[in-house]
Amino acid sequence: MPRILTSQTSEDELTEHNAKMFGSPKERLEFYRREIHYETAILANRTDAYLAAQSFLVIAFASCMGNLNPEWGKLFTLFVPPFLALLGLLSTLNAWPGIRAAYDIIDHWYYKQSELLRSEPVMGMAYDESPLFCERESTHKGYRKALLFSVRTPWIFATFWIVLGLWAIAIQLTDPFG
């Protein structure tokens, strides 16, 4: 099996490189925390924009379903609400990659932070010998629970729009009271 030979980087060179880049573990931790904060703000903004768009679509859908015009109301409610449901589904599919990417980047920076705190135990200790960051904050389980709303919301809305779109068509094509 062929192997690619690369130069070995010594531990001293790696330490020197890290010292030039960050200066100290504290600066590295501050950098990781800033990146986590920045990406969390991006995720929150994407989630807010997504929810605002979805809420307008839900209002438009409900308004269209309430159309009682005797001349063209039945035809209108047959086509427009399913179209809005499709638009909501496409909007969800379009928003998902950006939300997931922000989540993955946050996951990466939390991993880097936890590895730093694991490799530099002094970093986690405050003046009174209690941890600066508790285990819940520096493990995957802790922060992932906080981000679940942003990650799950698109899938909940995708299901919502599929069910609502099918229901809108079914209710117009069948006469449940006749």
Side-chain angles (χ1 to χ4, degrees):
M1 172 187 282
R3 282 183 28 182
I4 298 175
L5 298 177
T6 60
S7 64
Q8 295 292 328
T9 305
S10 72
E11 187 67 32
D12 292 335
E13 289 176 11
L14 191 56
T15 304
E16 182 181 331
H17 173 72
N18 286 341
K20 287 179 184 175
M21 187 168 177
F22 290 106
S24 71
K26 180 182 181 289
E27 290 175 2
R28 186 180 305 168
L29 180 63
E30 289 172 355
F31 174 75
Y32 294 159
R33 298 297 288 173
R34 277 193 310 271
E35 289 299 311
I36 289 167
H37 179 73
Y38 175 74
E39 290 298 330
T40 303
I42 288 174
L43 179 61
N45 289 339
R46 287 178 182 167
T47 303
D48 287 347
Y50 171 72
L51 288 173
Q54 293 299 305
S55 66
F56 283 115
L57 284 173
V58 170
I59 292 167
F61 180 90
S63 297
C64 289
M65 288 299 290
N67 186 343
L68 298 176
N69 187 304
E71 293 177 31
W72 49 272
K74 182 101 169 142
L75 189 61
F76 180 84
T77 54
L78 177 62
F79 289 104
V80 177
F83 174 75
L84 290 172
L86 179 62
L87 184 61
L89 182 61
L90 291 176
S91 171
T92 294
L93 294 175
N94 193 40
W96 171 245
I99 290 172
R100 183 60 196 200
Y103 174 84
D104 288 340
I105 292 169
I106 293 167
D107 188 45
H108 168 76
W109 289 119
Y110 263 103
Y111 173 76
K112 299 287 274 183
Q113 173 184 282
S114 65
E115 289 301 309
L116 175 65
L117 293 173
R118 202 176 339 271
S119 69
E120 300 278 345
V122 175
M123 286 295 301
M125 302 305 275
Y127 300 107
D128 60 357
E129 297 296 320
S130 62
L132 180 61
F133 298 101
C134 68
E135 190 67 24
R136 184 179 66 242
E137 292 173 336
S138 60
T139 63
H140 280 11
K141 188 177 179 183
Y143 74 88
R144 283 185 174 173
K145 282 184 178 181
L147 300 176
L148 280 179
F149 177 77
S150 292
V151 175
R152 287 182 178 165
T153 300
W155 295 109
I156 292 169
F157 267 105
T159 304
F160 172 78
W161 285 120
I162 290 169
V163 169
L164 222 52
L166 293 173
W167 175 77
I169 293 170
I171 202 167
Q172 294 300 322
L173 296 178
T174 61
D175 188 11
F177 301 110

